[in-house]
Amino acid sequence: METVMDRCRRGGWCARDRIRGFCSFSTLKKILPILGWLPRYSLQWLWMDLVAGMTVGLTAVPQVLAYAEVAGLPVQYGLYSAFMGCFIYCLFGTSKDVTLGPTAIMSLLCASYIDHDPVYAVLLTFLCGVIQVAMAVLQLGFLLEFISYPVIKGFTCAAAVTIGFGQVKNILGLRNIPQQFFMQVYYTFHNICETRVGDLILGIICLMVLVLLKLMKDCFKTHGVDLPLYVRVSRGIVWSAATARNALVVIAATCLAYACEVTGHGYFTITGSTAQGLPSFSPPPFSETTENGTVIAFREIALDLGGGLAVIPLMGLLESIAIAKAFASQNDYRINANQEMFAIGLTNIMGSFVSAYPVTGSFGRTAVNSQTGVCTPAGGVVTGVIVLLSLAFLMPLFCYIPKAALAAVIICAVAPMVDCSIVLKLWRVQKLDLLPFLVTLLFSFWEVQYGIVGGVVVSGFMLLYNIARPKLQVLDHGVLVVELESGLNFPAAEHISEVLFTEALLVSPPRSAILDCHHVSNIDYTVVNEIRDLLRQFKSRNVSLVFSGLPASVLEVLLAADLPGLKHTDSLDSALQYLSEKNLFEEPDQSEHLLSK
């Protein structure tokens, strides 16, 4: 007989085993994925990561400066937000390709909530990070699955149009244009006569150069090994220049603007004064003091951020994990979605200590990273170093960057996000999916957050309707046969009961029925209660209701409910054979399990 001491000793061993399992190297590798690839790191990987990291860095710096403009923040906040994710993701990320930082969509979402206020932006970053880490710890990633593909595409298309048109004012050199999309469209055309010729010419030239370089890069994606060496080298140079096209265009435009400014010719609208040097490392502000001395408390800021505390963390996770899955599939490796959530959340928490605004995975920069042959997340460290060097030494020059050049970079970055073919695809595959797509698209032009919420609500109603009205196949085999083509959940109980009552009991004379349940995987008390009423109604009319193909788990629930008159068979054929041989007006008083002979 086991003594108390034996139980205590066994409990102690179990606790030690659990602690040992938690502290094992395999568990540690799940928390710190860097431990999985660092022991195998080689000089060849180092070279490939250096090349990829430098290429992404040259792409990232001009992009994040432009995205800060989209977010309604000074341009330095784009750089503040671009480096922390490079280092955090190297330790905790599970995709070799993904690069974290400001993106067009996240910048647009932030602009909807922070109202050009850096304090709101930084606190929003911290709160988003806390929410994302909490979701990772509680393994709530399944919530992202309720945002359907049509909703994502509708939001993405609307965001691309909104962001792209929002930069037209900078191409034209217009000022004091409202932020809201419809007002923006109206006042852009209303004030078009105030266009600055210098900004317009520079913006068009930058757009043309960016498009031309992009086309050249697409032409030189494959390097033929059978070509002469000088041809391969020249194509490689062109491809590299095309990859770093954003940096080249911004540098050239900045040099031109600087030359004009020092000679006293202000032909271009420039970014203006920027903070110099690296940001200080300090906790995010939990309150704000306005210029007139009024203190805005944390609670008021949180209330002002409102729905942004739900929309921005979810969209950030959704965007980054979708990108990670896409490139993992393309490059034949797997990611851990829960670990990705943790890495993004921790990046935002730590980013708030260096004045960052919320970040996520960037599709454009991730594509560049993958195409240049990155081998590990260490490539991101090189990108982070380039961003830090830019902050440390180049900030005085950033004030001369023309807004028209940044606008051209943004327009070229978001243009591929407008996928017009999705409408035809949805029409061919499932026309009803056009409804959440169009709701999201149109509402996003009004307010981005309303578009996402509207699309999710419409998708949710469609999902609930399919659950409440499952597809039924009604057959006549001398008796009524109702085959459930999907599961049986409590919202559908009343509907199925109505079908059986109408088709079997309201006819004259009433007839027996078979409910084929081989697709049913679970059942709840609401359904059980509805079945009890059905059995009573069938019995009162001296006809039978037989259940066929019940899975073991569902049958166990029905038997536990002790339903009077419950009859069930293993198959539809058995039920048909039973009803053909049995006197249909005879009703046994107890549950029966009827097997085929």
Side-chain angles (χ1 to χ4, degrees):
M1 188 173 181
E2 188 179 43
T3 64
V4 174
M5 185 64 71
D6 292 333
R7 288 197 295 270
C8 292
R9 188 179 297 113
R10 193 182 71 228
W13 287 338
C14 292
R16 282 195 295 273
D17 289 341
R18 284 195 296 269
I19 294 172
R20 192 178 298 114
F22 180 77
C23 297
S24 66
F25 185 69
S26 60
T27 304
L28 200 58
K29 279 201 299 184
K30 290 181 180 178
I31 300 172
L32 284 171
I34 187 175
L35 298 177
W37 54 263
L38 189 59
R40 299 180 285 115
Y41 205 73
S42 63
L43 287 176
Q44 182 182 2
W45 285 9
L46 175 62
W47 171 250
M48 296 301 292
D49 286 345
L50 280 171
V51 172
M54 291 177 65
T55 305
V56 174
L58 292 174
T59 304
V61 171
Q63 269 195 350
V64 299
L65 292 172
Y67 290 153
E69 184 81 16
V70 174
L73 296 169
V75 292
Q76 65 266 23
Y77 281 87
L79 294 173
Y80 293 166
S81 308
F83 66 85
M84 185 61 74
C86 299
F87 301 107
I88 297 290
Y89 195 82
C90 180
L91 296 173
F92 297 97
T94 59
S95 169
K96 72 179 183 65
D97 300 299
V98 167
T99 61
L100 299 183
T103 65
I105 289 177
M106 287 300 287
S107 300
L108 178 65
L109 285 171
C110 290
S112 303
Y113 294 99
I114 62 176
D115 194 26
H116 304 277
D117 191 334
V119 172
Y120 274 56
V122 175
L123 184 56
L124 176 61
T125 306
F126 176 79
L127 295 176
C128 284
V130 171
I131 292 169
Q132 289 166 336
V133 168
M135 289 180 66
V137 171
L138 298 174
Q139 298 189 350
L140 298 178
F142 71 92
L143 293 175
L144 302 177
E145 297 169 10
F146 285 93
I147 304 177
S148 64
Y149 185 77
V151 173
I152 296 171
K153 292 303 291 185
F155 165 69
T156 304
C157 291
V161 173
T162 302
I163 293 167
F165 192 85
Q167 296 307 308
V168 172
K169 64 179 184 294
N170 291 326
I171 295 284
L172 301 177
L174 302 179
R175 298 180 181 180
N176 301 320
I177 302 296
Q179 196 77 8
Q180 205 277 333
F181 177 73
F182 294 111
M183 298 295 290
Q184 202 171 75
V185 172
Y186 173 78
Y187 280 101
T188 297
F189 286 103
H190 183 269
N191 299 341
I192 200 168
C193 57
E194 300 174 12
T195 299
R196 291 169 58 98
V197 177
D199 287 324
L200 178 61
I201 294 174
L202 180 63
I204 292 175
I205 291 174
C206 289
L207 281 171
M208 292 173 62
V209 171
L210 288 169
V211 171
L212 180 62
L213 289 173
K214 174 69 166 61
L215 294 174
M216 292 172 68
K217 180 184 176 182
D218 292 340
C219 292
F220 295 155
K221 273 184 179 178
T222 56
H223 299 273
V225 293
D226 55 341
L227 295 175
L229 178 61
Y230 71 91
V231 175
R232 281 183 283 151
V233 171
S234 60
R235 290 181 65 170
I237 293 172
V238 173
W239 186 89
S240 301
T243 301
R245 60 189 178 277
N246 291 333
L248 295 177
V249 166
V250 171
I251 289 171
T254 303
C255 292
L256 178 61
Y258 176 77
C260 292
E261 289 293 323
V262 296
T263 56
H265 299 92
Y267 296 128
F268 312 114
T269 304
I270 59 176
T271 303
S273 60
T274 57
Q276 298 185 17
L278 300 172
S280 59
F281 189 86
S282 59
F286 289 92
S287 63
E288 181 181 15
T289 303
T290 61
E291 293 179 356
N292 60 9
T294 304
V295 176
I296 305 176
F298 169 77
R299 184 173 180 276
E300 294 179 58
I301 297 177
L303 289 174
D304 288 341
L305 293 174
L309 296 177
V311 172
I312 293 178
L314 286 176
M315 290 306 299
L317 293 175
L318 184 68
E319 185 177 1
S320 188
I321 292 174
I323 291 169
K325 285 182 177 179
F327 282 90
S329 174
Q330 177 180 311
N331 295 320
D332 197 24
Y333 63 88
R334 295 189 65 82
I335 65 158
N336 183 328
N338 210 56
Q339 185 65 25
E340 290 292 303
M341 291 168 62
F342 180 79
I344 298 166
L346 187 59
T347 294
N348 279 321
I349 290 175
M350 298 306 297
S352 68
F353 283 75
V354 291
S355 302
Y357 70 89
V359 302
T360 185
S362 165
F363 185 86
R365 297 193 294 276
T366 298
V368 171
N369 209 22
S370 178
Q371 290 167 7
T372 46
V374 70
C375 295
T376 69
V381 175
V382 181
T383 302
V385 169
I386 290 176
V387 174
L388 288 173
L389 290 174
S390 301
L391 276 168
F393 302 109
L394 300 179
M395 286 305 293
L397 299 177
F398 289 159
C399 65
Y400 294 103
I401 298 177
K403 288 190 175 184
L406 292 179
V409 170
I410 294 172
I411 291 172
C412 289
V414 301
M417 293 162 55
V418 181
D419 184 6
C420 298
S421 65
I422 187 63
V423 177
L424 294 177
K425 291 176 183 176
L426 292 176
W427 180 263
R428 285 199 305 267
V429 177
Q430 178 58 273
K431 295 179 179 61
L432 198 58
D433 281 338
L434 281 170
L435 183 58
F437 171 81
L438 292 174
V439 168
T440 306
L441 180 73
L442 298 176
F443 274 66
S444 292
F445 288 131
W446 177 26
E447 288 288 347
V448 174
Q449 60 272 26
Y450 296 159
I452 297 170
V453 173
V456 170
V457 168
V458 171
S459 294
F461 275 124
M462 291 169 58
L463 177 64
L464 291 175
Y465 182 81
N466 289 331
I467 294 173
R469 295 292 182 270
K471 291 183 178 180
L472 304 174
Q473 190 171 2
V474 180
L475 306 172
D476 191 347
H477 290 274
V479 295
L480 179 70
V481 177
V482 177
E483 181 180 344
L484 293 171
E485 296 186 2
S486 59
L488 178 56
N489 298 287
F490 71 88
E494 181 68 28
H495 173 62
I496 294 170
S497 177
E498 182 69 24
V499 170
L500 286 168
F501 188 82
T502 303
E503 298 290 337
L505 302 182
L506 286 185
V507 297
S508 181
R511 54 179 178 164
S512 296
I514 300 172
L515 188 61
D516 188 0
C517 301
H518 69 275
H519 286 305
V520 177
S521 59
N522 55 42
I523 199 169
D524 56 42
Y525 187 77
T526 303
V527 177
V528 171
N529 200 48
E530 197 67 40
I531 291 173
R532 188 189 307 275
D533 288 342
L534 275 173
L535 289 172
R536 179 179 54 78
Q537 292 170 10
F538 271 78
K539 183 176 181 178
S540 68
R541 288 166 174 79
N542 294 320
V543 288
S544 298
L545 175 61
V546 181
F547 294 83
S548 68
L550 287 168
S553 59
V554 176
L555 179 58
E556 184 180 350
V557 173
L558 292 177
L559 293 176
D562 194 21
L563 299 174
L566 174 67
K567 293 183 286 295
H568 55 93
T569 66
D570 292 333
S571 66
L572 178 60
D573 290 338
S574 301
L576 290 170
Q577 182 179 352
Y578 163 74
L579 290 177
S580 65
E581 296 176 354
K582 190 83 170 174
N583 184 349
L584 299 181
F585 296 98
E586 178 182 347
E587 185 71 19
D589 293 332
Q590 57 187 8
S591 301
E592 298 181 18
H593 181 200
L594 310 162
L595 298 174
S596 58
K597 295 179 182 180

